[in-house]
Short mmCIF file of all heavy atoms in Angstrom, two decimals:
data_model
loop_
_atom_site.label_atom_id
_atom_site.label_comp_id
_atom_site.label_asym_id
_atom_site.label_seq_id
_atom_site.Cartn_x
_atom_site.Cartn_y
_atom_site.Cartn_z
N ALA A 19 0.06 13.17 -11.90
CA ALA A 19 0.89 14.05 -12.68
C ALA A 19 0.64 13.74 -14.13
O ALA A 19 -0.36 13.16 -14.46
CB ALA A 19 2.33 13.78 -12.30
N CYS A 20 1.55 14.12 -14.94
CA CYS A 20 1.37 13.75 -16.35
C CYS A 20 2.35 12.65 -16.64
O CYS A 20 3.52 12.83 -16.50
CB CYS A 20 1.62 14.94 -17.25
SG CYS A 20 2.18 16.37 -16.37
N ASP A 134 8.05 18.53 -14.19
CA ASP A 134 6.73 19.15 -14.04
C ASP A 134 6.35 19.25 -12.56
O ASP A 134 6.66 18.36 -11.75
CB ASP A 134 5.66 18.30 -14.74
CG ASP A 134 5.81 18.32 -16.26
OD1 ASP A 134 6.74 18.99 -16.76
OD2 ASP A 134 4.99 17.67 -16.93
N ALA A 135 5.68 20.36 -12.24
CA ALA A 135 5.09 20.54 -10.92
C ALA A 135 3.61 20.83 -11.17
O ALA A 135 3.25 21.92 -11.60
CB ALA A 135 5.76 21.68 -10.19
N CYS A 136 2.79 19.82 -10.95
CA CYS A 136 1.41 19.84 -11.46
C CYS A 136 0.43 20.62 -10.58
O CYS A 136 -0.59 21.10 -11.06
CB CYS A 136 0.92 18.42 -11.65
SG CYS A 136 2.07 17.41 -12.62
N HIS A 189 3.11 25.32 -17.07
CA HIS A 189 2.44 24.00 -17.00
C HIS A 189 0.94 24.19 -16.79
O HIS A 189 0.28 23.35 -16.17
CB HIS A 189 3.07 23.16 -15.89
CG HIS A 189 2.70 21.68 -15.97
ND1 HIS A 189 2.52 21.00 -17.14
CD2 HIS A 189 2.48 20.76 -14.98
CE1 HIS A 189 2.22 19.73 -16.89
NE2 HIS A 189 2.19 19.56 -15.57
N HIS A 193 -4.18 22.74 -15.06
CA HIS A 193 -3.64 21.41 -15.37
C HIS A 193 -4.61 20.56 -16.19
O HIS A 193 -4.89 19.41 -15.86
CB HIS A 193 -3.26 20.70 -14.08
CG HIS A 193 -2.26 19.57 -14.28
ND1 HIS A 193 -2.61 18.25 -14.34
CD2 HIS A 193 -0.91 19.58 -14.45
CE1 HIS A 193 -1.54 17.50 -14.52
NE2 HIS A 193 -0.49 18.30 -14.59
N SER A 239 1.00 21.07 -21.32
CA SER A 239 -0.31 20.97 -20.67
C SER A 239 -0.29 19.89 -19.58
O SER A 239 0.58 19.02 -19.57
CB SER A 239 -1.38 20.60 -21.72
OG SER A 239 -1.20 19.25 -22.14
N GLY A 240 -1.26 19.95 -18.72
CA GLY A 240 -1.49 18.86 -17.80
C GLY A 240 -1.78 17.61 -18.60
O GLY A 240 -2.59 17.64 -19.52
N THR A 241 -1.08 16.52 -18.31
CA THR A 241 -1.10 15.23 -19.00
C THR A 241 -0.35 15.26 -20.33
O THR A 241 -0.18 14.24 -20.97
CB THR A 241 -2.54 14.67 -19.31
OG1 THR A 241 -3.09 15.39 -20.43
CG2 THR A 241 -3.44 14.78 -18.10
N HIS A 293 9.06 14.45 -12.78
CA HIS A 293 8.29 15.33 -11.90
C HIS A 293 9.08 15.81 -10.70
O HIS A 293 9.92 15.10 -10.18
CB HIS A 293 7.00 14.62 -11.47
CG HIS A 293 6.03 14.49 -12.61
ND1 HIS A 293 6.20 13.55 -13.60
CD2 HIS A 293 4.94 15.22 -12.95
CE1 HIS A 293 5.25 13.70 -14.51
NE2 HIS A 293 4.46 14.70 -14.14
ZN1 ZN B 401 1.49 17.82 -14.73
#
Side-chain angles (χ1 to χ4, degrees):
C20 5
D134 292 0
C136 309
H189 195 34
H193 200 260
S239 71
T241 77
H293 290 77

